[in-house]
Amino acid sequence: MADGSTTSVKSRVSEAEWQARIELAALYRLVALHGWDDMIFTHISARVPGPEHHFLINPYGWYFDEITASSLIKVDLDGNIVQDTTHFINPAGFTIHSAIHAAREDAHYVVHLHTVAGVGVASQEHGLLPLSQNACLLQDQVAYHGYEGLALNHDERERLVADLGDKALMLLRNHGTLAVGQTAAEAWVGIFFLERACAQQVAALSGGRKHVLIAPEAAQAETREQGKGISFVSGLAWPGALRQLARKSPGYDV
């Protein structure tokens, strides 16, 4: 059982790993703060700096607003826990995240959510439509992966990675959203834009498709190029996100 407490591991890990733990814990808290968590389900992971290809993921049974830097569990790409802990991980989370970390050198952080709006759009045949500025900014950045049931079959990893390709964002059909980033900041801003675009689409389609206004093609083309600046925006937004956590959800960095 999760008890929401754990002993600090700061003195037992490298400085680089500790920083990754802090930033990953911040992502968990930010997701909870925005109401995007799904009780003890869904996952966010971070690659541990170094040659071992280890990554960090949440202990199964903890709510996202409980996660701290020290509570995160370090595993290898085969799912073996490589630290002393009394906790364990969700095997479905391991399947998705290990696949992406193994295949994408730039995927240092991976965020996967099951929000109402994200699942709603992932379950629509047409996927993400160019209805809002957020959606237009994400054009050419969103991949799609078909639903295969709970992600417990390791064979799905090859198909998931192939569908993701070099994209930073994904809609997992009938399942949820996903974002990858070289930094926690990039992953956070990517999932924020995607979730906001999905929520806006659900709102726009709530009255039916007939009178919904698709963005003009010229505006779509212009915004497609502007959307390439998300990495720059993430560097501006991340410090503010951490200040917000310091005010509203302190204690993640222990």
Side-chain angles (χ1 to χ4, degrees):
M1 294 291 292
D3 60 7
S5 63
T6 192
T7 302
S8 175
V9 301
K10 182 177 181 180
S11 63
R12 304 199 299 272
V13 301
S14 68
E15 184 176 343
E17 178 178 332
W18 182 247
Q19 185 60 38
R21 284 175 172 271
I22 289 175
E23 295 193 345
L24 180 56
L27 286 172
Y28 276 101
R29 295 291 187 98
L30 284 166
V31 166
L33 195 62
H34 282 73
W36 293 341
D37 47 346
D38 185 18
M39 202 166 67
I40 63 172
F41 309 105
T42 80
H43 321 278
I44 313 171
S45 61
R47 179 177 295 156
V48 177
E52 297 86 1
H53 290 283
H54 293 161
F55 65 94
L56 302 164
I57 200 165
N58 52 316
Y60 199 18
W62 287 48
Y63 278 59
F64 282 19
D65 62 359
E66 297 180 304
I67 298 294
T68 65
S70 294
S71 68
L72 295 161
I73 297 179
K74 183 163 56 175
V75 300
D76 63 21
L77 291 177
D78 294 319
N80 301 306
I81 294 175
V82 292
Q83 69 176 75
D84 292 332
T85 180
T86 59
H87 302 295
F88 59 100
I89 66 171
N90 183 340
F94 165 76
T95 300
I96 293 173
H97 291 257
S98 64
I100 297 172
H101 283 299
R104 290 275 297 269
E105 285 296 324
D106 62 328
H108 294 178
Y109 291 83
V110 180
V111 182
H112 169 47
L113 305 179
H114 295 164
T115 66
V116 173
V119 175
V121 174
S123 302
Q124 295 173 359
E125 183 178 3
H126 44 63
L128 189 65
L129 293 168
L131 298 177
S132 66
Q133 179 165 279
N134 292 85
C136 289
L137 286 167
L138 302 183
Q139 292 176 92
D140 299 334
Q141 299 186 43
V142 181
Y144 294 84
H145 174 64
Y147 187 56
E148 300 187 22
L150 293 178
L152 298 174
N153 183 356
H154 287 187
D155 290 342
E156 184 179 355
R157 291 187 291 187
E158 292 183 8
R159 294 183 290 276
L160 176 71
V161 167
D163 287 338
L164 179 61
D166 61 356
K167 306 289 188 183
L169 305 170
M170 174 178 270
L171 286 174
L172 293 93
R173 293 297 196 177
N174 312 103
H175 185 173
T177 55
L178 184 142
V180 305
Q182 288 192 351
T183 64
E186 287 184 7
W188 171 243
V189 170
I191 201 69
F192 183 92
F193 274 54
L194 181 56
E195 286 291 340
R196 184 59 59 90
C198 287
Q200 290 162 345
Q201 179 164 318
V202 169
L205 296 181
S206 62
R209 177 77 183 269
K210 184 177 180 180
H211 299 295
V212 170
L213 184 64
I214 298 291
E217 290 187 7
Q220 290 185 44
E222 179 71 16
T223 315
R224 182 183 296 112
E225 291 302 311
Q226 294 167 339
K228 296 177 181 179
I230 286 181
S231 294
F232 170 74
V233 172
S234 68
L236 299 176
W238 184 245
L242 297 183
R243 292 192 298 271
Q244 186 179 50
L245 282 183
R247 296 190 304 270
K248 298 184 177 181
S249 187
Y252 67 92
D253 53 349
V254 297

